[in-house]
Amino acid sequence: MKGLYCRAGVSDAEPKFVIQETSLPDVLGSHVVRVQVKACGLSPLDLKLISDVGIQKDLIPVGREVAGIVLQVGDKVSFFQPEDEVVGILPLDSPCSGLCDVIDIDEHYLVQKPEKLSSVCVAGALRDGLRAYTALHTYARMAAGHTLLVMDGASSFGLMCIQLACYHGVKVLTTSHSPQKHTFLEQLRPSVGLQDPLAAKVIPVYKGSSDLLPVVLEETGGLGVDIIIDSGVRLQEEQEESEETKLLPHKHDIISVLGVGGHWVTSHKDLQLDPPDCRLLYLKSASVTFLNDEVWTASSSQQGRYLHILKDIVEKMSTGVLRPQPEEAVPLYEATVAMETVQRHQKTKAVVQL
């Protein structure tokens, strides 16, 4: 049996992705489920995070969001039985690559997959659903009547945030990073129920001028928003910036549009706040939270809550509350090239159908 693995490069060298032979143990663990994989989502590997948590491997398994069918269960497994359709995210220290035909996974990382939900759809969207749920519910304590600003709402993660927020009666503002994305977000409004008073205001940020602050203050009556979900920030103005970086908001703009008692949930791993930034946050009694969805599988302290979240996400996908952008599945023989593209951030996600 073959799986996809990453051989981390030395220093700044690009990581290499290789197909490697692997095998499963003959004896199944007491709480382990053996799953035949039907689809696997590919997301960028955070090699720094893997190193920080003490995982030292020559070959790092690739592909962790999986959907499949239970083949066999351990003698103490209570949640599943053979022929069940399941979905889950392999933990960081899993020895299995999700692109293997068959994998072993602890039952506490899996939930039942609704029958009408396709394996490709759920494998491609599960992580973004988990991130959106974690940001809005767990960290920001989203509630009806709140106002939310989502940066880059046309991304797969941003789209999940918008749909989840609208379902709970939150007014949504979002930014668009290109004319095509702006059109997509404007056309999206009726399909996700974004009707007044929950109308999503789409703010273009690709025109060069920063309209973010005046538009947000106008839309909120000068009060600012209750929640901000970013997709990265600029820490300082630089002479030479990539086109992608220019579209990111400056940290001061984000703090300025945050309302009193607001929550800023950031994906920026190396965020640096200067004393004036902290002073402004203090005056607003606002908070900053770092979004790291890996904590759910890295620690078992909230395992029950994590499973509840996964179950709620797949149920909302099944009922149409969450409607991710469809990902075109690639065959297994294209997985290496697909993962290289994802790792270089030329594409945010890929799904492999087995």
Side-chain angles (χ1 to χ4, degrees), residues 47-124:
L47 298 173
K48 178 74 165 60
L49 174 65
I50 292 171
S51 174
D52 286 345
V53 297
I55 298 175
Q56 302 291 338
K57 293 180 179 178
D58 293 332
L59 293 173
I60 301 167
V62 172
R64 293 172 47 216
E65 303 98 88
V66 296
I69 299 173
V70 175
L71 298 177
Q72 187 181 350
V73 298
D75 55 6
K76 292 185 179 178
V77 170
S78 56
F79 295 157
F80 307 102
Q81 56 189 10
E83 302 301 321
D84 282 349
E85 293 189 71
V86 295
V87 60
I89 299 176
L90 293 168
L92 274 173
D93 59 353
S94 171
C96 293
S97 162
L99 290 170
C100 295
D101 293 334
V102 179
I103 61 170
D104 285 352
I105 178 171
D106 192 286
E107 65 171 329
H108 299 105
Y109 295 117
L110 294 171
V111 293
Q112 299 272 2
K113 181 182 79 67
E115 188 176 343
K116 66 179 182 180
L117 186 61
S118 81
S119 296
V120 169
C121 174
V122 72

Side-chain angles (χ1 to χ4, degrees), residues 165-338:
C166 288
Y167 175 75
H168 287 282
V170 173
K171 180 178 179 179
V172 178
L173 310 176
T174 187
T175 61
S176 57
H177 285 191
S178 70
Q180 294 79 13
K181 289 183 176 182
H182 190 88
T183 303
F184 168 76
L185 288 168
E186 289 286 1
Q187 293 174 342
L188 176 76
R189 293 167 66 169
S191 67
V192 294
L194 302 183
Q195 309 294 342
D196 287 325
L198 307 178
K201 174 71 176 180
V202 184
I203 307 167
V205 295
Y206 52 85
K207 295 180 179 179
S209 61
S210 179
D211 295 329
L212 185 64
L213 182 57
V215 172
V216 170
L217 293 181
E218 181 184 350
E219 288 290 324
T220 59
L223 297 176
V225 296
D226 300 294
I227 305 166
I228 297 176
I229 310 291
D230 72 34
S231 56
V233 296
R234 278 184 296 163
L235 300 182
Q236 56 193 10
E237 300 290 347
E238 296 181 2
Q239 292 293 329
E240 295 184 6
E241 293 179 328
S242 66
E243 290 300 317
E244 193 174 311
T245 304
K246 287 179 182 178
L247 297 173
L248 297 177
H250 193 274
K251 60 180 177 178
H252 184 73
D253 291 337
I254 287 185
I255 298 172
S256 298
V257 301
L258 198 59
V260 172
H263 300 279
W264 172 16
V265 183
T266 181
S267 300
H268 200 293
K269 302 181 182 73
D270 303 312
L271 180 67
Q272 296 176 350
L273 296 177
D274 300 319
D277 301 324
C278 295
R279 180 67 183 175
L280 189 51
L281 285 168
Y282 165 75
L283 291 172
K284 296 186 176 193
S285 191
S287 66
V288 180
T289 306
F290 292 89
L291 178 57
N292 175 15
D293 56 282
E294 296 292 0
V295 296
W296 292 114
T297 56
S299 170
S300 58
S301 63
Q302 299 188 58
Q303 199 74 42
R305 190 176 186 184
Y306 170 61
L307 290 177
H308 170 78
I309 291 172
L310 286 188
K311 185 177 180 181
D312 198 34
I313 291 167
V314 296
E315 285 178 354
K316 281 184 168 59
M317 286 187 195
S318 177
T319 57
V321 172
L322 296 177
R323 291 193 288 275
Q325 288 179 268
E327 291 281 347
E328 185 177 348
V330 300
L332 184 58
Y333 62 83
E334 292 182 10
T336 304
V337 175

